[in-house]
Amino acid sequence: LFGLGLGTTITFASSHWLLAWMGLEMNTLAIIPLMAQHHHPRAVEATTKYFLTQAAAAATLLFASITNAWLTGQWEIQQISHPLPATMITLALALKIGLAPLHAWLPEVLQGLDLTTGLILSTWQKLAPFALILQIQPSNSTLLIILGITSTLIGGWGGLNQTQLRKILAYSSIAHLGWMILVLQFSPSITLLTLLTYFIMTFSTFLVFKLNKATNINTLATSWTKAPALTALTPLILLSLGGLPPLTGFMPKWLILQELTKQGLAPTATLAALTALLSLYFYLRLSYAMTLTISPNNLTGTTPWRLPSTQLTYPLAISTAMTT
């Protein structure tokens, strides 16, 4: 965990491509023991897949920054003037955070991890590449919009036929990143706001699934017996992830659509808004499984309405309050 923190901090603080690359590499190497700590074939497979994709992305990034230094004679992150290295770096960072069409590793990897490591992968691991994308963003506008729209589409489409919660969360992550990338070049502050709200919502969702020990939709249907109060609150978190109006998750989407229309990109905004409906469908499925189905032989009337008292209760209560 110390290595993770250090890697991200180094990338944040760097103005030289080599240092930024070093921070990203430290990030990758630090999370690998966390991923493989349960010596299960699935976890080992996920770790290997993650390592290979991240190594490929880091190699592309290093190659692109060397090409940039060769063409322009400087290593500054802020001054990428040539379109070739700029495009390559954007694609390498897109592969790092799992933007479509470079997303295929993310659901597979997340499915092989336990929920705590999955949470780190979905939140903390996005920070360092995002810091770099934010710094090089003005140079390749069409590429960013294409990446953004494909991500929102695939993030919505991919989650439709899933029953595994971790895969659903992976596709949810892809869709949210797509929204962030869409507005990145017009308003970085909205992107950061979206990233922050996404982190809070994902944190709540992962904690809920962890408290229920749930990894697929079927387990959620029996969660009434474990913690009815928690089960009653969960649809609020899920619908906030989907972006329904009275909840926090609606705010970033609204601001993004507003910004895109201001920039004269009404068709892009319309398409993004329609893809949000796809995501909403599978969040609704989860809510339905949790609250509108009664598991067999379930005596909900006799269950005490309280949260199971664990160390996760307080963080969950705070993040849920922020989400809804």
Side-chain angles (χ1 to χ4, degrees), residues 44-183:
V44 174
E45 182 191 337
T47 311
T48 313
K49 284 177 177 171
Y50 181 76
F51 176 70
L52 290 174
T53 46
Q54 296 296 309
T60 314
L61 183 82
L62 189 60
F63 176 66
S65 48
I66 290 172
T67 312
N68 182 57
W70 181 44
L71 290 169
T72 58
Q74 43 83 23
W75 284 87
E76 287 293 306
I77 292 180
Q78 303 277 8
Q79 301 167 355
I80 288 233
S81 48
H82 202 281
L84 176 70
T87 308
M88 281 173 68
I89 285 170
T90 310
L91 288 173
L93 293 169
L95 178 57
K96 271 220 171 276
I97 55 176
L99 280 172
L102 306 161
H103 68 287
W105 61 273
L106 186 58
E108 293 294 319
V109 168
L110 208 56
Q111 181 56 32
L113 306 178
D114 68 316
L115 289 166
T116 318
T117 319
L119 175 61
I120 296 174
L121 182 69
S122 303
T123 52
W124 186 262
Q125 289 297 85
K126 306 268 187 269
L127 284 172
F130 236 91
L132 294 176
I133 295 178
L134 273 167
Q135 290 179 71
I136 62 157
Q137 42 91 11
S139 52
N140 34 20
S141 50
T142 328
L143 179 65
L144 287 181
I145 287 180
I146 291 169
L147 283 171
I149 282 290
T150 348
S151 297
T152 53
L153 260 170
I154 288 181
W157 228 297
L160 291 182
N161 61 349
Q162 297 295 341
T163 55
Q164 297 293 330
L165 295 179
R166 285 166 292 186
K167 281 196 174 176
I168 287 179
L169 285 170
Y171 283 111
S172 150
S173 165
I174 294 165
H176 277 89
L177 287 169
W179 280 87
M180 291 171 215
I181 291 294
L182 270 179
V183 79

